[in-house]
Amino acid sequence: MEINKELLESLLTEAKENPRLRQNFDLRTSSADTSQRMLNALHSQTEVPIHRHEKTAETVICLVGKLEEIIYEEVNEYVHEATSCCDDVIRQKSFKEVSRQILSPAEGKFGLQIPAGAWHTINVIEPSVIFEAKDGAYRGDDR
């Protein structure tokens, strides 16, 4: 299989027609392949929630376009809430941005390695196609 301009343009067209404004293309060789390797075409209004992969690093390489990879740290705050019978302490989780990196092949900024457990998301600046790789088979509960 060849990864060429036609394939990337086709994926971007499919992504534009997808309500989520993104389209992935599985690069595994079979269902027995326990890696995660894919192309992901993304348009600027796609929403990727802040997430992490607890047990694996993620390699992201931008093949075409321009986007920002944003890394966060988790912040736990505790607030007191008085109710009619007692004083409860509630944990509220939020995120603090710790780094923002532009990925753009035109600028010579091709990719990065996201450490296992790091919270992250992307902001797509212009239609982009990225190559993503992670260890292990995809499990919906492993994020």
Side-chain angles (χ1 to χ4, degrees), residues 8 17-18 23 30 33-35 39 44 64 67-68 80 86 89-90 92 99 102 106 119 124 132-135:
L8 302 185
E17 295 168 357
N18 186 322
Q23 183 67 46
S30 75
D33 184 341
T34 59
S35 68
L39 298 176
S44 61
V64 64
L67 55 90
E68 295 173 303
H80 292 274
C86 56
V89 176
I90 300 171
Q92 293 180 333
S99 84
I102 295 282
W119 293 96
V124 180
E132 296 180 49
K134 296 180 273 302
D135 295 331

Side-chain angles (χ1 to χ4, degrees), residues 5-77:
K5 183 179 178 180
E6 290 77 23
L7 175 60
L8 302 185
E9 288 174 352
S10 173
L11 283 173
L12 283 167
T13 299
E14 289 179 42
K16 193 171 188 176
E17 295 168 357
N18 186 322
R20 296 176 68 204
L21 295 172
R22 56 185 149 148
Q23 183 67 46
N24 70 33
F25 185 86
D26 191 354
L27 293 169
R28 293 176 305 147
T29 54
S30 75
S31 60
D33 184 341
T34 59
S35 68
Q36 295 177 61
R37 295 186 314 257
M38 70 186 83
L39 298 176
N40 207 342
L42 309 146
H43 283 271
S44 61
Q45 298 301 313
T46 191
E47 293 184 24
V48 178
I50 297 171
H51 65 284
R52 68 178 172 176
H53 311 283
E54 291 186 47
K55 298 177 182 174
T56 180
E58 180 177 9
T59 302
V60 178
I61 299 171
C62 187
L63 302 173
V64 64
K66 184 175 184 177
L67 55 90
E68 295 173 303
E69 188 75 48
I70 307 164
I71 310 294
Y72 299 89
E73 67 180 24
E74 185 176 332
V75 177
N76 289 308
E77 298 175 319

